[in-house]
Amino acid sequence: MPKKQKIVDTHTKAPAILLSKTQMGNNIGASARAMANFRMNDLRLITPRCHWPENMDAYALAAGANTILDNAQTFNTISEAVADCHFVCATTARPRDLIKTICTPYEAALELQNHIDRGYKVAILFGSESKGLDNEALQHAHIVSMIPVNPDFASLNLAQAVLLMAYEWFKIKQVKTYGARRDKQLVDNTGLRMQGTQLANMQELENFFFRLEKEISMGNFFTTKEKEIIMKQKIRNLFMRANITEQEVRILFGVMTALKRSGSTFHE
């Protein structure tokens, strides 16, 4: 089972901002400044490629948002960075070979706030300046947001992208109201009855994926290394689209255990 990464509790009712493989310290600083503009404070850096944390360029561009930089957490993998999150929105300018819900920043902001209203931790994931997010990174996301831009010049500065996504969320948060209030412990905003459970967080999903991939690998499901990589992405993507709950994860673990007892190819 993957080792659980300890995450410092910076939970707020705002999305965490995740920057993966950032190459320039000034983009980290400018992103922190954008976060401060819109009352976000949970910055998580995944294998930054610049000199970190002693990066003077970051502090210069933060324009006073130093506390966000001082409290920024650093992780080795996306899996570790999203472990406590229940809903993740990834951003990309490039179409990828994965079946994902694609939405505008405004639509993504609605989804993020809907999950926050139900008590869930959410995050927005950004890729590196040069390459963005690949399929392996996108498999950690429930939805993908693409910013409508000139198709002949679609490249955005990283901090600009953070600013746009943060602005859309903050705008939704400021004007969001409810008509007839519902019991958010039992009913989500789409009318789904949760029956005393909640969405599985990414650590719980990662544990499930680890067990599932181990079992089907021992059953010789992956015939080649190339197929193994692609099929793992597609299997993970299938479950990410399903938005499964903690209770459903436990059921799936029970299914695998029952199959082993019945003499299937599943193993401990």
Side-chain angles (χ1 to χ4, degrees):
M1 183 176 297
K3 183 179 179 181
K4 187 173 182 179
Q5 172 77 17
K6 178 177 175 57
I7 295 179
V8 178
D9 183 16
T10 57
H11 177 76
T12 65
K13 293 188 176 181
I17 296 296
L18 280 58
L19 307 182
S20 179
K21 302 179 181 178
T22 310
Q23 298 164 288
M24 302 174 66
N26 55 3
N27 280 330
I28 296 176
S31 296
R33 179 179 181 175
M35 291 172 64
N37 288 149
F38 301 108
R39 294 183 181 172
M40 295 178 173
N41 63 15
D42 188 352
L43 176 61
R44 304 181 184 188
L45 306 176
I46 304 154
T47 57
R49 299 301 172 85
C50 56
H51 184 58
W52 189 262
E54 296 83 12
N55 192 298
M56 291 301 102
D57 289 340
Y59 282 87
L61 268 290
N66 294 1
T67 301
I68 293 176
L69 295 180
D70 291 341
N71 293 329
Q73 300 176 75
T74 305
F75 298 88
N76 293 322
T77 66
I78 295 176
S79 295
E80 294 171 351
V82 300
D84 66 331
C85 298
H86 300 90
F87 188 79
V88 180
C89 170
T91 60
T92 181
R94 300 177 178 88
R96 299 293 186 182
D97 186 25
L98 284 176
I99 300 173
K100 287 283 187 187
T101 297
I102 306 295
C103 56
T104 65
Y106 171 75
E107 293 166 338
L110 285 174
E111 283 293 318
L112 290 164
Q113 187 59 40
N114 282 341
H115 282 78
I116 289 172
D117 288 342
R118 289 147 54 196
Y120 295 122
K121 180 65 180 175
V122 304
I124 309 174
L125 174 63
F126 299 84
S128 68
E129 295 91 332
S130 60
K131 296 183 179 180
L133 297 170
D134 57 18
N135 279 0
E136 184 179 356
L138 290 176
Q139 72 186 10
H140 296 88
H142 297 83
I143 61 172
V144 172
S145 182
M146 300 184 76
I147 298 171
V149 291
N150 175 5
D152 296 323
F153 194 76
S155 175
L156 277 174
N157 171 266
L158 173 59
Q160 290 176 329
V162 172
L163 180 77
L164 280 169
M165 296 297 294
Y167 165 72
E168 290 291 354
W169 168 78
F170 189 72
K171 184 171 64 174
I172 292 294
K173 181 179 184 298
Q174 291 299 98
V175 302
K176 189 172 182 61
T177 59
Y178 287 96
R181 288 185 174 269
R182 304 187 206 174
D183 180 354
K184 295 182 178 60
Q185 296 301 315
L186 295 178
V187 182
D188 75 0
N189 287 57
T190 62
L192 178 65
R193 192 162 184 82
M194 298 298 285
Q195 296 180 326
T197 187
Q198 64 176 3
L199 295 178
N201 66 31
M202 294 301 296
Q203 180 66 52
E204 291 162 334
L205 289 175
E206 189 63 35
N207 291 341
F208 166 66
F209 292 145
F210 180 81
R211 169 78 183 276
L212 179 62
E213 290 166 0
K214 173 186 173 183
E215 299 293 358
I216 60 179
S217 178
M218 294 179 72
N220 298 317
F221 178 76
F222 305 120
T223 55
T224 66
K225 190 64 179 177
E226 182 182 22
K227 180 179 178 181
E228 178 179 354
I229 294 171
I230 295 171
M231 291 305 295
K232 281 183 177 179
Q233 290 176 352
K234 292 186 180 298
I235 290 169
R236 285 174 175 243
N237 194 47
L238 182 157
F239 284 101
M240 291 296 291
R241 292 203 313 271
N243 284 329
I244 61 179
T245 67
E246 293 174 335
Q247 186 181 75
E248 289 166 339
V249 168
R250 291 194 293 270
I251 290 171
L252 289 169
F253 270 111
V255 168
M256 288 189 284
T257 300
L259 287 172
K260 178 186 179 301
R261 285 200 301 263
S262 71
S264 74
T265 57
F266 283 84
H267 302 275
E268 288 292 351

